[in-house]
Structure formats: C-alpha cells, structure tokens
Amino acid sequence: MNRRPVRRSAAGVLAALVASAVVIAFLVAVVVGAQGERGRGGDGLVAADVDRDTPVAQDAPLPADVDLGSWAEATAERTGVPSRAVRAYGAAELAQRADTPDCRLSWTTLAAVARVESDHGNLGRSSLGADGVPSPRIVGVPLDGSDGVREILDTDGGALDGDTVHDRAVGPLQFLPTTWELYGADGDGDGVRDPHQIDDAARGAAAYLCADGRDTADGAGWWDGVLTYNRSGEYARLVWAAADRYANAAQASNSD
C-alpha cells in the first residue's frame, strides 16, 4: 500500500477498526465491481433489497476556494484514505458541484465507491502512485459469460483493458470501455482522459453518479446512482457503509 504513517484521531482509528470488519466483503465486492453495471444482469431484487429512502451521511460541501492539498492531508489523517486519492475525490466534488449543483455530490460517496472497487487504487499488488496511476494497473476479469457474468465482447480494440476479445473494467473506479466513452473526463487537466488515472476516473465517476438529474444527497437519488454503477444491493450497501464511515470520521474530527 502506498500510505505514509499518520497520527489518527479517535474517529480515524474507529473508522479503521470498522473498516477491517468488512475486508472479506470488500474483496468479494471488488470482483463484483469488476462486473457490476458492467457485466452482471439485473437479478430482479435490487429495488426490493435496499432501502432507497435512506440517505447517506455526507461531509459539508467543500468551499470553492479550498486548498485541496492541505485539505487532503488533513482528511487522510481523519479517515485513513490515502491523501493522493482524497485530493482526487475533492477535486471531482468541486467540479461536479459546479456543473450540476443540484446533484449535491460529496467526495465521501466517490471515496466509498473507490474503496469498494479498488481500495483507492491499492488493490492486491497495486499501489497508487504520486501521478495518480496504480502500479501495476488494475484490470478486472474478462466479461466472457463465465461464472454468472454477462458476456461483453471487446468494444475498444483492447486500448484500455488490453483485451481484444472481451471487455474488462479498468482503473481505480473500474470503468468499462463503453461507460468511459460516455463519461470519461480529464480530471487532472493534462488533455488526456485516462480511466487508469485517479483524477480522471473520479471526475468521470462523479458525472456518472450525477447523470439523469440525480440528487445524491437524497436517499432515492443516492441509491439510484450507486445501483446504476453496479446493479447489486449488496454492493450498494457496502458503498453506503463506507461513505457513512468517511463522513462521520470527517465530521467528528471537525467538531473536536
């Protein structure tokens, strides 16, 4: 893991302890996340097995003039999320709130999706670099119709996922090539839309979650956005729990 030692507040320690309780579920969810809206057919139970009226806790909106570097360092200490990743989520929140203020997207939801999808780009042998790209890159399983996943034949000539036969989800936010084509963004301003780069991926995920006029501060809007990302009630509940942990850790530290 690409994480520097930090001194954590009581809220941060509590968040880390709670997080350890879902490690096994997280590992399962990552495999699902590599398939998700991207490979599993709807099971007909999604609407019934989650409480869509339950909103998730959110941190206060970031001020437009926030110093993202300083904020990310402080928030990393409070939550245990790597500061490089936090900075990407914060930047994506600011950009998305400017584009679609009624969506009211919080960085905590983006962090929660990334936690479940790839442990913030630190899944398995991968480590998130200072450039925002995991090394080695994170590429999901082939969507070849096996083990209950939908078959999705290659759509990008292997340009993003290296697979010229079937599509795979890629990067710290696990985008399929077809979804990235619609929502891919240049979050770091280098002129390239790269789903393997966390600033770009977070910005694309923000646009995806806010699509169709959703209000993610509302229960139904939040659940609809996450379930669009991955049509699994179990997955959505894991994201909800992670977002709740991050928001509460940040809020508790802010009130100290």
Side-chain angles (χ1 to χ4, degrees):
M1 301 295 182
N2 185 25
R3 291 177 177 165
R4 59 181 180 81
V6 296
R7 292 179 302 157
R8 295 185 181 177
S9 65
V13 172
L14 178 60
L17 290 173
V18 175
S20 66
V22 296
V23 167
I24 294 177
F26 155 67
L27 292 174
V28 172
V30 168
V31 176
V32 174
Q35 301 159 11
E37 56 89 19
R38 313 174 267 279
R40 294 177 64 89
D43 57 12
L45 301 177
V46 168
D49 67 355
V50 298
D51 185 355
R52 293 174 64 257
D53 294 327
T54 305
V56 69
Q58 300 202 86
D59 199 9
L62 293 175
D65 61 351
V66 66
D67 180 337
L68 277 175
S70 298
W71 170 80
E73 289 292 327
T75 301
E77 291 192 14
R78 295 166 183 161
T79 62
V81 179
S83 61
R84 180 63 185 85
V86 174
R87 192 167 82 236
Y89 309 145
E93 175 190 314
L94 290 171
Q96 194 62 45
R97 283 182 179 263
D99 284 353
T100 58
D102 290 342
C103 181
R104 299 190 290 175
L105 182 68
S106 173
W107 69 269
T108 55
T109 291
L110 293 170
V113 171
R115 165 64 173 133
V116 175
E117 292 287 357
S118 74
D119 196 16
H120 310 293
N122 293 289
L123 178 65
R125 296 184 298 109
S126 296
S127 179
L128 187 66
D131 60 357
V133 178
S135 180
R137 294 187 172 191
I138 299 172
V139 178
V141 298
L143 299 178
D144 57 6
S146 63
D147 299 326
V149 302
R150 200 168 70 238
E151 183 178 30
I152 302 180
L153 296 176
D154 173 61
T155 61
D156 69 332
L160 297 178
D161 56 19
D163 191 332
T164 58
V165 179
H166 295 96
D167 272 350
R168 301 176 182 232
V170 300
L173 273 298
Q174 288 290 279
F175 274 96
L176 261 191
T178 49
T179 310
W180 187 251
E181 180 65 26
L182 292 174
Y183 296 98
D186 177 17
D188 61 356
D190 67 353
V192 177
R193 300 186 310 155
D194 181 4
H196 295 281
Q197 204 279 334
I198 197 165
D199 298 295
D200 293 0
R203 185 69 186 90
Y208 191 23
L209 291 166
C210 287
D212 299 323
R214 296 187 192 96
D215 176 3
T216 60
D218 171 76
W222 188 93
W223 287 96
D224 283 349
V226 173
L227 287 168
T228 299
Y229 210 100
N230 187 316
R231 287 181 53 80
S232 162
E234 178 184 6
Y235 171 90
R237 285 191 293 271
L238 285 170
V239 174
W240 191 98
D244 186 69
R245 286 199 310 273
Y246 294 146
N248 285 326
Q251 291 168 0
S253 295
N254 288 334
S255 65
D256 289 345

